[in-house]
Amino acid sequence: MKNILGLVQSAPCRIDVDFKDEKGHRYKKTAVVKGKNGETEELPLFTNHDAIVGEVRITPLTTKRVEHTGIKVQLLGQIELASERGSPHDFVSLVRELAPPGDVASAAQKPLPFEFRNVEMQYDSYRGLQVRCRYLLRVSMAGKGMGSDSKKEAPFWVRNYDAPPEEAPPIKMEVGPAAAAVAAAACGGGGSGSGSC
């Protein structure tokens, strides 16, 4: 009923996030992840050593002039327990300002680039029944009349590969006459072969 009367505003814009590689091309590494109800989704795949680079595109959905107080992107690493659904614990939280205060139409004129380098993403992403470890980019636009629709979350997957441990050289053991005598005595006698070893 409120929507019919025009009391509830819709989002003034659409926010899209595109991941890029170091050269500015579309990011191609992906991981297929099983989601809720057995559904699968394809997420960008990064490691601890990768830079998170991309751009945000703002598309106005109204012709009215709408002011915002800034656009920012956050890189978040979160752990969420099943017993605490809805209140995750952040272990990584980095923020970059994408645009200063202005109107939505001016922010939509060109893509807004972002870059996060040397981010410590030490934990692998995981989705389990009791715990979830996830990484995401959250783009938010604040301002008068902006609701929760003025926010976009773009999850990505982190998988860290460890180099296989180097094989240690074999241990060489030399057995001298003294060790042979101790072994013979432990086996029940001299070298007659009557021992029970």
Side-chain angles (χ1 to χ4, degrees):
M1 185 68 173
K2 287 182 181 179
N3 199 9
I4 294 171
L5 298 175
L7 297 176
V8 176
Q9 291 181 327
S10 62
C13 63
R14 188 181 79 226
I15 301 172
D16 295 307
V17 178
D18 294 323
F19 290 96
K20 304 282 184 179
D21 63 11
E22 297 283 337
K23 298 176 183 175
H25 299 96
R26 190 173 148 263
Y27 195 76
K28 294 183 180 176
K29 292 181 191 174
T30 60
V32 177
V33 180
K34 189 181 261 188
K36 296 177 182 175
N37 302 326
E39 300 169 1
T40 60
E41 64 179 314
E42 201 168 333
L43 297 176
L45 176 64
F46 293 94
T47 66
N48 192 19
H49 308 292
D50 293 336
I52 311 297
V53 180
E55 58 189 25
V56 173
R57 290 185 185 343
I58 308 293
T59 307
L61 299 177
T62 180
T63 56
K64 293 189 322 186
R65 181 178 168 85
V66 178
E67 297 285 327
H68 66 82
T69 58
I71 303 171
K72 65 180 180 178
V73 61
Q74 291 178 279
L75 187 147
L76 297 171
Q78 300 178 329
I79 292 180
E80 187 175 26
L81 303 174
S83 60
E84 301 173 355
R85 286 280 188 229
S87 57
H89 303 280
D90 294 348
F91 58 89
V92 173
S93 180
L94 300 170
V95 180
R96 301 279 190 271
E97 294 294 326
L98 294 178
D103 66 333
V104 172
S106 64
Q109 291 177 356
K110 60 182 178 170
L112 306 169
F114 64 85
E115 181 175 337
F116 292 95
R117 292 196 178 275
N118 301 322
V119 178
E120 186 174 348
M121 298 181 288
Q122 62 185 356
Y123 304 117
D124 286 0
S125 297
Y126 177 76
R127 285 184 185 168
L129 294 175
Q130 298 300 317
V131 70
R132 178 170 70 165
C133 179
R134 70 181 189 148
Y135 294 88
L136 61 111
L137 287 176
R138 179 182 293 150
V139 179
S140 56
M141 182 184 304
K144 185 178 178 185
M146 304 267 183
S148 61
D149 295 344
S150 303
K151 185 180 343 182
K152 172 77 173 191
E153 290 187 353
F156 60 93
W157 202 255
V158 173
R159 187 176 298 148
N160 294 310
Y161 301 99
D162 291 334
E166 292 183 21
E167 195 171 306
I171 298 173
K172 294 182 181 179
M173 294 181 62
E174 294 184 23
V175 179
V182 170
C187 287
S192 65
S194 61
S196 60
C197 285

